[in-house]
Amino acid sequence: MAEHDLTARMAGHLDCHLVLPLLEFLQERHLYPEEEILEAKIRLLRGTNMVDYAMDIHKSRYGTDDVPEDMVKRRTEVVSRLTSLGEAIDNIHQNQQIGPDQIETLYQYAKFQFDCGNYSFAAQYLHQYRALCTNIERSLSALWGKLAAEILMQNWDVALEELNRLKEIIDSKNFSSPLNQLQNRIWLMHWSIFIFYNHENGRNGIIDLFFQERYLNAIQTNAPHLLRYLATAVVVNKRRRNMLKELIKVIQQEQHSYKDPITEFLECLFVNYDFDGAQQKLIECEEVILNDPFLGKRIEEGNSITVPLRDEFLENARLFIFETYCRIHRSIDISMLSQKLNMRYDEGELWIMNLVRNSKLDAKIDSVSGTLIMTTNHVNIHEQFIESLKNLNMRTSMLAKNIVEPAQATQQATR
């Protein structure tokens, strides 16, 4: 399933330190030959100060304890520079005098620590630097660094705070230029995926952010591959089903620039009503999720390893198939429906039975004929009206948020 791997597309919008965890995941999944992954790591580490790590990767790649001379020389330079900056920071602490030169030294030290992979030190000094910095561009650069450090330390709550702070700055009217604003929004969405697929409220967060008009426009303009992560969040989030219609519309608009089994599954089911196609795509969806660094997170439970998002996605996707099929049929063969759900007959019958019982679906199972009989259900006009108001309320809230946030950011900037 390497054909559906998005790492190459994602890497162009990420700091090189953020790409390393993606390569680690691909290496564990054996999606590419081991030699290719190790070579990619070595190339990536050339842009950092993590020389010891690069040496270890080189030894592993070529099966030798010898390392190139340029790596040895580079290590000496890094140690020397780190020592020099450390002494400068000690002098600042001792003299307790802060001027432009000292503030610049603080930035250089924080950035150097980040490049060495010391993310805790980097986050600490970048926070101090931003409190003292008066240069808007440098302060923004430090905030990006602070966000990356918190992501790499997996401090998801703090990272989410930094993400929201960065979003306010990007969305403000004082931002440099529309083109630069667009690029920063695209970067922000790529970096946000680390947070949203690890934070406890992340699936709501990604829907709230990506469906904002300016961010949705950015996705359609330069990053349609992000639809995979938006679509997955909508599928597994039962409380946000009202966004499904909007999502399908965007997927249809972008089908010529991007598609994968997850977007194609939704298109087969809700546009073409192709249940056989949806069944096939659902099988492919499982592989895509398992091989995606953001979606395929594994959790050890005793002696077994589970992929929670895969299980949630399949469960909700089967529910989509079931609900859609039931809307257009009166009598349904359980055997045929089980096939479309990629389940054995006994599994399918039990799953349907539990679903009918728990969802209070107006249907009954005829065990003799092996069919599910749907009772005609006329749509209540009041329920339709209430549902439309829910969608209107959601759109109104998003519109108000788009207006209020830039205004608040402008007020803070003028203070």
Side-chain angles (χ1 to χ4, degrees):
M1 294 293 285
E3 62 177 308
H4 297 301
D5 176 37
L6 295 179
T7 304
R9 288 196 187 193
M10 301 288 289
H13 304 284
L14 299 172
D15 183 273
C16 57
H17 290 259
L18 294 175
V19 180
L20 283 172
L22 308 188
L23 294 181
E24 293 283 355
F25 179 89
L26 296 179
Q27 189 174 7
E28 290 175 7
R29 292 295 297 162
H30 304 291
L31 210 57
Y32 297 95
E34 182 85 2
E35 296 77 14
E36 289 186 21
I37 298 292
L38 294 176
E39 287 288 352
K41 285 185 178 180
I42 292 172
R43 289 195 300 271
L44 196 65
L45 291 167
R46 286 175 187 156
T48 73
N49 293 329
M50 300 167 70
V51 188
D52 287 340
Y53 185 36
M55 287 180 172
D56 290 340
I57 298 297
H58 186 276
K59 292 174 183 177
S60 177
R61 166 67 179 90
Y62 295 101
T64 177
D65 290 334
D66 296 328
V67 294
E69 185 63 31
D70 62 327
M71 282 189 175
V72 177
K73 183 179 178 181
R74 172 69 175 152
R75 188 183 188 282
T76 303
E77 293 173 354
V78 168
V79 172
S80 175
R81 177 63 174 160
L82 186 60
T83 303
S84 175
L85 286 170
E87 291 173 352
I89 292 296
D90 289 340
N91 290 334
I92 293 174
H93 288 310
Q94 290 172 5
N95 297 331
Q96 295 185 350
Q97 293 181 350
I98 297 292
D101 291 341
Q102 287 76 23
I103 294 174
E104 176 63 21
T105 300
L106 198 62
Y107 176 82
Q108 294 298 332
Y109 183 67
K111 187 176 185 302
F112 204 86
Q113 287 282 11
F114 181 86
D115 285 338
C116 289
N118 299 325
Y119 305 121
S120 180
F121 279 113
Q124 176 186 343
Y125 283 103
L126 284 170
H127 176 73
Q128 295 176 6
Y129 173 78
R130 290 195 70 246
L132 300 169
C133 178
T134 56
N135 185 305
I136 295 176
E137 289 186 6
R138 272 295 184 85
S139 180
L140 180 63
S141 174
L143 186 54
W144 278 108
K146 177 74 159 52
L147 174 59
E150 299 296 351
I151 289 172
L152 290 161
M153 291 189 294
Q154 299 184 11
N155 295 332
W156 304 122
D157 288 333
V158 180
L160 183 59
E161 292 175 7
E162 302 296 351
L163 182 79
N164 290 330
R165 191 172 289 116
L166 193 54
K167 179 182 179 298
E168 287 181 11
I169 296 173
I170 293 172
D171 289 344
S172 69
K173 292 181 180 179
N174 298 328
F175 206 76
S176 55
S177 70
L179 184 60
N180 198 15
Q181 201 171 37
L182 172 65
Q183 184 59 64
N184 275 264
R185 282 182 181 138
I186 291 172
W187 287 341
L188 187 76
M189 286 188 287
H190 281 81
W191 292 37
S192 74
I193 296 173
F194 286 94
I195 302 169
F196 289 142
Y197 275 99
N198 285 284
H199 194 276
E200 59 182 1
N201 194 38
R203 294 168 194 178
N204 283 318
I206 191 172
I207 293 172
D208 291 338
L209 177 64
F210 284 25
F211 270 118
Q212 289 185 33
E213 185 176 359
R214 290 169 293 185
Y215 287 85
L216 194 57
N217 288 340
I219 290 174
Q220 293 182 273
T221 302
N222 271 20
H225 54 275
L226 293 180
L227 287 174
R228 170 185 295 182
Y229 304 103
L230 179 58
T232 301
V234 172
V235 169
V236 300
N237 197 330
K238 294 180 180 179
R239 295 182 178 179
R240 305 302 293 273
R241 293 281 177 85
N242 59 315
M243 304 307 297
L244 188 59
K245 186 177 180 180
E246 181 73 14
L247 174 65
I248 298 299
K249 184 174 74 172
V250 176
I251 288 175
Q252 283 185 275
Q253 291 172 347
E254 299 304 317
Q255 61 179 323
H256 299 297
S257 57
Y258 178 78
K259 59 183 177 180
D260 65 24
I262 293 176
T263 62
E264 288 178 310
F265 166 76
L266 293 173
E267 192 173 8
C268 282
L269 190 58
F270 294 109
V271 178
N272 303 325
Y273 295 98
D274 179 3
F275 293 98
D276 291 333
Q279 175 192 359
Q280 180 58 42
K281 291 301 174 184
L282 187 56
I283 297 173
E284 296 176 19
C285 284
E286 182 174 6
E287 287 300 313
V288 168
I289 291 172
L290 289 174
N291 293 319
D292 188 285
F294 299 101
L295 308 179
K297 181 180 177 182
R298 284 153 175 75
I299 295 179
E300 292 187 16
E301 295 181 350
N303 296 325
S304 61
I305 298 177
T306 62
V307 183
L309 190 68
R310 184 267 312 269
D311 299 336
E312 286 184 65
F313 185 93
L314 293 179
E315 176 69 16
N316 283 279
R318 285 168 179 156
L319 184 59
F320 279 160
I321 294 174
F322 178 78
E323 290 176 344
T324 307
Y325 202 82
C326 288
R327 276 200 298 268
I328 58 178
H329 292 84
R330 288 285 306 278
S331 180
I332 304 165
D333 187 330
I334 293 177
S335 175
M336 182 177 62
L337 185 56
S338 297
Q339 289 180 351
K340 295 188 182 300
L341 296 172
N342 294 325
M343 302 171 82
R344 296 196 310 270
Y345 179 84
D346 56 337
E347 290 178 334
E349 185 179 31
L350 180 61
W351 186 84
I352 293 169
M353 188 184 303
N354 290 331
L355 188 64
V356 170
R357 183 187 303 119
N358 297 332
S359 64
K360 297 180 181 179
L361 195 67
D362 197 2
K364 61 180 181 179
I365 295 176
D366 186 340
S367 300
V368 177
S369 61
T371 57
L372 176 70
I373 302 172
M374 304 298 300
T375 303
T376 304
N377 186 19
H378 299 287
V379 180
N380 190 308
I381 187 65
H382 300 290
E383 292 179 358
Q384 281 186 315
F385 181 68
I386 291 171
E387 187 62 30
S388 64
L389 283 181
K390 286 181 182 178
N391 294 334
L392 180 62
N393 183 51
M394 176 65 187
R395 300 293 295 179
T396 304
S397 298
M398 290 173 63
L399 181 61
K401 194 174 182 181
N402 290 341
I403 295 173
V404 172
E405 285 184 355
Q408 291 176 340
T410 303
Q411 288 179 355
Q412 291 176 358
T414 55
R415 288 175 183 172

